[in-house]
């Protein structure tokens, strides 16, 4: 009996070892081969077959409008933009000229008097700029005030009430920057009822309000009973005129191309080429040329057209038109 038991255990052990060792012998049924997927790759376009614009789009990912720029240039261009924005901020006015009423006067800074009113210069021939408020030319309402008269006669703003809508005056700062303002309207207010926020407060426009006394003189308070406010808006800034780049030069037209010389200005980011119809005077843009491309385009000239090139700066302002010199 014991002999049969040992033989049974041995048989069971052999069967168990068979199932354990058989996979190691590589005797598993063969699995069907999996067909490898073929990877289809599109051949890259050779560099020599790419257009200049395609090559630039690959090399320079950053753009300003349609002009590619190197990433390393962005910091420099950002600095230039900031400088230009600083130039477009308001200024501290140093002088005012109003030709239509014969005013040409110095401006001094003034503040708030103890009674809460805006101060005015002691010199009745000078104008005061409210320094705690907005600078001239900034978005908001800058305020300039002057006397209308004095014990000895007329003062600097004696004829301010003669200004009409459309009249202009000029403010100049200590560095010679000039701003031209155009009158938009005039208003008179009883002194205690003047809309202070409207005269001194914020605005989306670049405004200057000229203020002087008007109405009857009240001897009890030692002042006129009303205030005249002339509101004017900025229409020209000499700093803004400097934003346009120089025009390209040395334009040459051959039988098959138009070329020019680059403008030496760090703010220039490219060029635009236009054709102008001689009969109608209408212009149409033909091409955009980046800073990194050759300063030329293929062109078959049309006798009914003339051609010009402009430089474009980081503010997207165009230079004056550069035409092909007449022979």
């Amino acid at each position: 009996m014991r002999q049969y038991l040992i033989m049974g255990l041995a048989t069971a052990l052999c069967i168990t070892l068979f199932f354990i060792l058989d996979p190691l012998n590589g005797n598993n049924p063969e699995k069907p081969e999996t067909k490898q997927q073929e990877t289809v790759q599109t051949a890259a376009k050779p560099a020599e077959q790419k257009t200049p614009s395609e090559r630039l789009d690959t090399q320079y990912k950053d753009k300003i409008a349609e002009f590619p720029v190197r990433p390393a240039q962005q910091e420099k261009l950002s600095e230039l933009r900031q400088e230009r924005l600083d130039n477009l901020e308001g200024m501290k006015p140093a002088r005012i000229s109003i030709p239509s009423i014969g005013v040409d006067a110095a401006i001094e800074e003034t503040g708030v008097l103890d009674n809460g009113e805006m101060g005015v210069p002691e010199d009745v021939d000078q104008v005061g700029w409210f320094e705690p408020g907005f600078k001239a030319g900034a978005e908001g309402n800058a305020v300039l005030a002057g006397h209308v008269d004095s014990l000895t006669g007329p003062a600097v703003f004696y004829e301010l009430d003669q200004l009409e809508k459309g009249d202009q005056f000029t403010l100049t700062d200590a560095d010679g920057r000039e701003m031209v303002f155009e009158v938009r309207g005039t208003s008179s207010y009883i002194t205690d009822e003047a809309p202070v926020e409207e005269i001194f407060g914020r605005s989306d426009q670049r405004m200057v309000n000229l203020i002087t006394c008007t109405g009857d003189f009240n001897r009890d308070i030692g002042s006129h009973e009303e205030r005249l406010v002339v509101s004017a808006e900025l229409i020209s800034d000499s700093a803004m005129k400097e934003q346009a780049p120089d025009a390209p030069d040395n334009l040459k037209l051959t039988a098959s191309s138009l070329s020019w010389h680059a403008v030496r200005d760090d703010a220039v980011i490219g060029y635009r080429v236009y054709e102008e119809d001689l009969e109608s005077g209408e212009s149409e843009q033909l091409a955009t040329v980046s800073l990194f491309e050759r300063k030329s385009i293929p062109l078959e000239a049309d006798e009914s057209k003339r051609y010009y090139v402009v430089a474009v700066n980081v503010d997207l302002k165009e230079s004056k038109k550069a035409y092909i010199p007449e022979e």
Side-chain angles (χ1 to χ4, degrees), residues 121-173:
E122 292 184 6
D123 187 338
V124 297
D125 291 324
Q126 291 191 355
V127 175
W129 164 56
F130 187 61
E131 189 275 336
F134 292 93
K135 292 181 179 179
E139 289 187 356
N141 287 284
V143 177
L144 302 177
H147 292 282
V148 65
D149 55 20
S150 68
L151 295 176
T152 59
V156 63
F157 277 173
Y158 183 74
E159 294 186 335
L160 194 67
D161 61 352
Q162 300 300 307
L163 289 181
E164 298 178 348
K165 185 176 181 179
D167 287 342
Q168 297 179 2
F169 60 87
T170 302
L171 299 181
T172 309
D173 72 1

